[in-house]
Amino acid sequence: MGEKDKLEHFEQAILPHLDAAYNLARWLTRNEHDAQDMVQEAYLRAFKFFDGFHGADARAWLLTIVRNTCYTWLDQNRARDMTTPFDEEIHTTEDNALNPSAMALKSSDMEMLKQSLEQLPAEFREVIVLRDLEEFSYKQIADVIDIPLGTVMSRLARARERLKRILCARLKEKP
Amino acid sequence: MDCKEGQRLIDGYVDGELDLVRNLGIEDHLHGCAVCSGSYQERRALRDGIRAHGVYFTAPADLRTRVQRSLRQAAGTTPARRRMPWQWIRVVAPLAAAAVVALILVPPVRGPSPESILTQEVVANHIRSLMVNHLADVPSSDEHTVKPWFNGKLDFSPPVKDLVNQGFPLIGGRLDYLNNRPVAALVYQRAKHVINVFVWPSNKNARSEAAPVTRQGYHVFHWEQAGITYWAVSDLEEGQFEKFVQLLKGQSPTTS
């Protein structure tokens, strides 16, 4: 396959997933500018390795590369984001149940939801993004972030629990 | 099924990822257990909130163009720049071995040097900035507007100097991408001629300069000064351009 054919084939298969790539990169880097750099970088890497891609699941394959690119960057730029600090102040056990019917997250809470999600450590943020925004199956998530299938459910459970706590704390602070 | 098992499986249930047996088991448990049923409702509310609240970031309009452009470059005529060297070791090692053999067997053929590739990139960016009508992100002749505009967009603060009194008014600045990094582009004008000055931090502190070159009718000046790399490109007549470069360097131009 010539470089030109390869590029054409690549663009057809991989370029449609640009939004997914950007969304993940944006959530992992937490800013627009770096997210764009990450996407560009990831596409170049994907193109290099395109011969090794056998057409099964282009979106998951691309997001694996986007994720690795972002983690390399996070590693170099914000080592602190890789750790999972335990937020004592929000880990209160008193009444922080979401009242699903009464609250049902109004649209005005969107900004708050975004901020809460951004506050999660990267390893929790990414499973929620992959599951609830990309609607990936557990199997796809396991493949992308390279953990055993059995771990996906428990990581999602921890991530959502943590998100809920942060969100509840923020909702309570709200005047 | 007990609550411990119920709690463990709630996320799998919400996500529709349980097998039939466990699915029936947890449904049965949720009917009879208010606590687990509450947790289940909570999880649903949270998930539905995330899905419904537009927290999905769609790619900015120009990202596709940018990605395509860099892919073309990687696939096509210009050799791809190695952005993360360690990733390419596997590719590079056999090539290096082949190169050694080739050096012995074949007379050497020189490829373009990194410097000359960069020169080409500089010229290409200059032309592109004129073509797509995207000369300035921040159109302003005020250095105190242009310089702060770069704050938060770059990891350095570009030196911005207005040379309007010397006949080279600053007309704006924009973000650009060169040498595998975001750079500042400062735009000056002389009559109808546009001058792009690309700047980014250099790892050298010493002052150095390269001889000006001409590519496709555009003159390119390159120098390093006070830890900053400068590339200036324009179709301006070379003598005037040189005067501009000297002004930018902070020297008074030699009268000619």
Side-chain angles (χ1 to χ4, degrees):
Chain A
M1 192 159 53
E3 282 293 281
K4 211 179 151 210
D5 292 342
K6 182 181 161 188
L7 181 60
E8 202 170 301
H9 186 193
F10 177 83
E11 288 195 345
Q12 268 172 22
I14 311 298
L15 217 49
H17 303 295
L18 188 72
D19 278 339
Y22 179 73
N23 182 51
L24 180 62
R26 173 64 181 73
W27 276 112
L28 283 176
T29 58
R30 293 188 288 202
N31 84 79
E32 197 180 314
H33 186 74
D34 292 320
Q36 294 193 35
D37 286 354
M38 291 302 108
V39 170
Q40 181 180 8
E41 173 99 40
Y43 265 91
L44 283 171
R45 283 165 90 169
F47 182 61
K48 290 281 173 201
F49 297 121
F50 190 49
D51 295 332
F53 168 66
H54 301 297
D57 183 347
R59 189 161 52 122
W61 180 75
L62 175 66
L63 291 194
T64 309
I65 298 172
V66 170
R67 178 183 178 271
N68 289 341
T69 309
C70 289
Y71 269 79
T72 306
W73 179 87
L74 283 172
D75 243 346
Q76 290 163 350
N77 291 277
R78 304 187 186 169
R80 63 193 164 81
D81 201 68
M82 306 288 288
T83 61
T84 311
F86 193 70
D87 293 309
E88 280 302 334
E89 77 272 27
I90 55 160
H91 187 245
T92 46
T93 47
E94 39 139 345
D95 169 49
N96 52 13
L98 277 183
N99 183 338
S101 53
M103 192 190 64
L105 289 174
K106 294 184 289 296
S107 0
S108 57
D109 299 330
M110 180 183 103
E111 208 35 52
M112 200 173 283
L113 183 60
K114 269 190 178 171
Q115 289 164 359
S116 307
L117 199 46
E118 285 203 324
Q119 204 180 325
L120 282 181
E123 62 173 87
F124 287 161
R125 222 180 306 138
E126 66 184 3
V127 285
I128 291 183
V129 168
L130 292 175
R131 175 61 217 169
D132 291 329
L133 296 180
E134 287 304 329
E135 305 195 17
F136 269 11
S137 69
Y138 284 11
K139 174 74 175 69
Q140 285 175 304
I141 296 175
D143 288 346
V144 170
I145 67 181
D146 199 22
I147 55 173
L149 185 54
T151 314
V152 177
M153 184 165 71
S154 58
R155 187 166 301 176
L156 262 166
R158 287 166 62 209
R160 286 168 174 162
E161 192 59 35
R162 182 80 80 90
L163 178 63
K164 187 194 85 180
R165 288 202 187 112
I166 297 174
L167 190 60
C168 284
R170 282 179 181 268
L171 285 168
K172 251 187 263 173
E173 281 166 19
K174 198 170 70 164
Chain B
M1 186 179 291
D2 59 15
C3 284
K4 196 177 163 209
E5 183 70 356
Q7 288 289 339
R8 197 178 72 80
L9 295 178
I10 275 178
D11 288 276
Y13 180 59
V14 171
D15 293 326
E17 288 270 353
L18 297 183
D19 59 50
L20 188 61
V21 176
R22 291 196 293 178
N23 214 51
L24 289 172
I26 192 166
E27 279 182 358
D28 190 44
H29 177 75
L30 289 177
H31 274 301
C33 173
V35 176
C36 289
S37 173
S39 309
Y40 167 66
Q41 296 295 339
E42 212 173 78
R43 279 287 199 276
R44 285 281 310 262
L46 189 61
R47 190 206 53 184
D48 294 347
I50 295 171
R51 288 190 178 178
H53 280 69
V55 294
Y56 198 105
F57 291 100
T58 47
D62 56 352
L63 184 58
R64 171 181 291 264
T65 324
R66 178 175 156 190
V67 165
Q68 276 180 315
R69 194 197 297 154
S70 71
L71 286 169
R72 297 251 155 77
Q73 208 178 25
T77 47
T78 339
R81 319 280 309 214
R82 282 193 282 284
R83 302 163 63 87
M84 295 217 165
W86 58 93
Q87 290 291 339
W88 310 107
I89 294 284
R90 279 184 303 175
V91 179
V92 169
L95 284 180
V100 170
V101 175
L103 272 179
I104 299 166
L105 299 178
V106 213
V109 180
R110 294 278 294 277
S113 70
E115 187 91 346
S116 114
I117 293 167
L118 190 52
T119 309
Q120 200 56 51
E121 260 192 84
V122 166
V123 172
N125 281 21
H126 175 72
I127 297 172
R128 202 177 297 116
S129 77
L130 302 171
M131 241 165 38
V132 296
N133 198 14
H134 181 75
L135 209 45
D137 289 325
V138 48
S140 167
S141 59
D142 178 8
E143 61 195 271
H144 303 295
T145 303
V146 174
K147 192 176 167 78
W149 179 84
F150 287 104
N151 283 344
K153 299 187 177 66
L154 292 170
D155 57 0
F156 65 99
S157 179
V160 182
K161 205 190 249 183
D162 189 12
L163 301 173
V164 64
N165 295 332
Q166 290 84 354
F168 299 94
L170 175 69
I171 59 169
R174 75 174 186 280
L175 271 186
D176 212 312
Y177 196 82
L178 266 179
N179 201 27
N180 294 322
R181 57 160 301 139
V183 304
L186 306 170
V187 190
Y188 293 86
Q189 197 160 22
R190 170 81 167 199
K192 296 273 180 201
H193 304 278
V194 169
I195 309 170
N196 265 296
V197 182
F198 300 99
V199 300
W200 65 90
S202 147
N203 45 12
K204 289 177 263 182
N205 241 327
R207 188 170 176 145
S208 69
E209 56 182 89
V213 292
T214 305
R215 292 283 178 91
Q216 295 152 251
Y218 294 95
H219 306 297
V220 183
F221 282 79
H222 166 49
W223 71 100
E224 316 217 356
Q225 184 181 357
I228 298 280
T229 298
Y230 293 79
W231 286 83
V233 53
S234 179
D235 61 346
L236 186 64
E237 183 269 315
E238 200 165 352
Q240 294 197 8
F241 196 13
E242 191 166 358
K243 181 178 158 204
F244 166 79
V245 168
Q246 284 176 351
L247 286 166
L248 212 56
K249 287 179 181 168
Q251 304 163 343
S252 43
T254 45
T255 40
S256 52

